[in-house]
Amino acid sequence: MKIKSSFGDRVFDVLNITLMLIICFVTLYPVWYIIVYSFNEGKDAMLGGIYFWPRKFTLDNYRTVFSNSDITTAFMVTVARTVLTTTLHVFFTAMVAYAFMRKELMGRKIYMAMGTITLFFGGGLIPYFLLIKSLGLYNTFWVYVIPGMFNFYNLIIFQAFFRELPVELEESAKIDGANDFLIFARIILPLSTPVLATIALFVGVYNWNDYFMGVIFINNPKLQPIQTFLYKVIAQVTSNQMLANAPGGIATRNVTSQSLKMATMVITTMPIVCVYPFLQKYFVKGLLIGAIKG
């Protein structure tokens, strides 16, 4: 039997849908505007009046951006950084989290207390910079990887998931002669796909979007990530150089520094935007890990 909705319910539905549509528009339109602007002739776009579709469609903005070899190098650095750091972070943090759960680990409570303190207090940028430099990581690719191999907050998320796994699985494996590392590699990790994917998403998105490490710890253009390249384009440090080096006189005809910024934004953002929907279900599940004890 269909229940007839009241006038108040219908008014609420209309207002709710209207509000959601406004929020969606406000959220998505700036992204769409950047895409539209990047496919329009730069000098024509400066006249204004471009809102929903390119008025003079062109690919010159993208040709100019890709003609700069630095963006290809930056893209490769970012891909290598994201894949390597994410893989090492997930494995290393999960391994430490599993070890911290072992009651026979000496000083376990002390280690947990020390790690918890780091969630609330930090040494600051200058001591961190001096530490990175003293370790020989400054201006090297490994400055992206080694400091990002461990995060205590992610360790807590791993532990919350591991606690939900049946203890009988470990006991059975020990009876069969398996050691702790074999149990971790053959039993714990295969059963932890949701939390592994969640942490991989967190770390991967962070490493792809991070520009700060490249600004502070890298001065070699060959080692800068794609987001640092974008930062310099937006700051017009690189965009003017790309205009000067544009092939075939494109810069003098159709391209402006503003259109180059828009095209660079699209190039640097689209890869992670395309990957994110496939991992979103793990992101939602990861937010609930440990919230409800089964």
Side-chain angles (χ1 to χ4, degrees):
M1 180 178 178
K2 185 177 181 180
I3 300 177
K4 186 177 180 180
S5 60
S6 64
F7 176 75
D9 292 336
R10 291 195 296 271
V11 171
F12 174 79
D13 291 340
V14 171
L15 292 177
N16 191 35
I17 293 173
T18 303
L19 179 61
M20 291 299 103
L21 289 175
I22 292 174
I23 293 175
C24 289
F25 178 79
V26 172
T27 303
L28 297 177
Y29 178 72
V31 179
W32 177 249
Y33 177 78
I34 291 174
I35 296 174
V36 170
Y37 199 111
S38 68
F39 282 104
N40 197 89
E41 289 186 4
K43 293 187 177 180
D44 176 73
M46 293 178 65
L47 301 176
I50 298 175
Y51 302 108
F52 296 101
W53 199 254
R55 185 167 51 225
K56 291 186 178 181
F57 181 85
T58 183
L59 295 177
D60 288 344
N61 298 314
Y62 290 92
R63 291 193 187 100
T64 304
V65 173
F66 282 114
S67 67
N68 189 324
S69 60
D70 288 343
I71 191 172
T72 305
T73 304
F75 186 83
M76 297 303 297
V77 169
T78 303
V79 171
R81 169 194 179 178
T82 302
V83 173
L84 184 59
T85 305
T86 301
T87 303
L88 292 177
H89 179 97
V90 169
F91 181 78
F92 185 74
T93 305
M95 185 169 57
V96 175
Y98 179 71
F100 274 25
M101 290 185 62
R102 314 307 301 169
K103 294 181 180 180
E104 59 270 23
L105 177 65
M106 295 181 59
R108 181 169 65 98
K109 293 183 179 180
I110 298 177
Y111 299 147
M112 290 296 296
M114 292 173 61
T116 303
I117 292 174
T118 65
L119 296 176
F120 301 98
F121 303 100
L125 179 59
I126 295 177
Y128 185 61
F129 179 87
L130 295 176
L131 174 63
I132 292 296
K133 196 167 185 179
S134 65
L135 292 175
L137 299 177
Y138 180 76
N139 205 31
T140 67
F141 175 79
W142 297 107
V143 74
Y144 300 128
V145 180
I146 294 178
M149 287 178 60
F150 179 77
N151 181 278
F152 193 79
Y153 178 79
N154 291 340
L155 178 143
I156 296 175
I157 296 178
F158 272 119
Q159 286 188 333
F161 186 88
F162 291 162
R163 289 192 185 99
E164 299 180 0
L165 299 178
V167 182
E168 292 77 11
L169 292 175
E170 297 184 40
E171 295 175 349
S172 301
K174 286 186 177 180
I175 292 174
D176 293 336
N179 55 34
D180 289 331
F181 185 79
L182 195 60
I183 294 173
F184 172 73
R186 296 288 184 87
I187 297 177
I188 302 300
L189 285 184
L191 293 175
S192 304
T193 303
V195 70
L196 293 175
T198 300
I199 300 301
L201 176 62
F202 290 161
V203 178
V205 171
Y206 169 79
N207 279 279
W208 184 274
N209 291 331
D210 176 56
Y211 76 96
F212 189 73
M213 295 286 284
V215 173
I216 300 298
F217 300 111
I218 297 294
N219 57 24
N220 183 356
K222 299 298 182 182
L223 292 175
Q224 68 177 1
I226 192 71
Q227 300 300 339
T228 303
F229 180 84
L230 173 61
Y231 166 80
K232 292 182 178 180
V233 169
I234 294 176
Q236 292 189 341
V237 175
T238 306
S239 58
N240 294 332
Q241 179 183 357
M242 286 194 295
L243 278 173
N245 297 333
I250 291 177
T252 59
R253 294 201 312 266
N254 302 323
V255 180
T256 63
S257 61
Q258 186 69 12
S259 63
L260 285 180
K261 293 177 185 179
M262 299 300 184
T264 308
M265 288 182 189
V266 174
I267 293 170
T268 57
T269 306
M270 280 301 109
I272 200 67
V273 170
C274 294
V275 171
Y276 186 82
F278 298 99
L279 300 175
Q280 186 180 14
K281 61 178 180 180
Y282 296 112
F283 176 79
V284 175
K285 185 176 180 62
L287 295 178
L288 301 177
I289 290 175
I292 301 175
K293 181 85 172 172

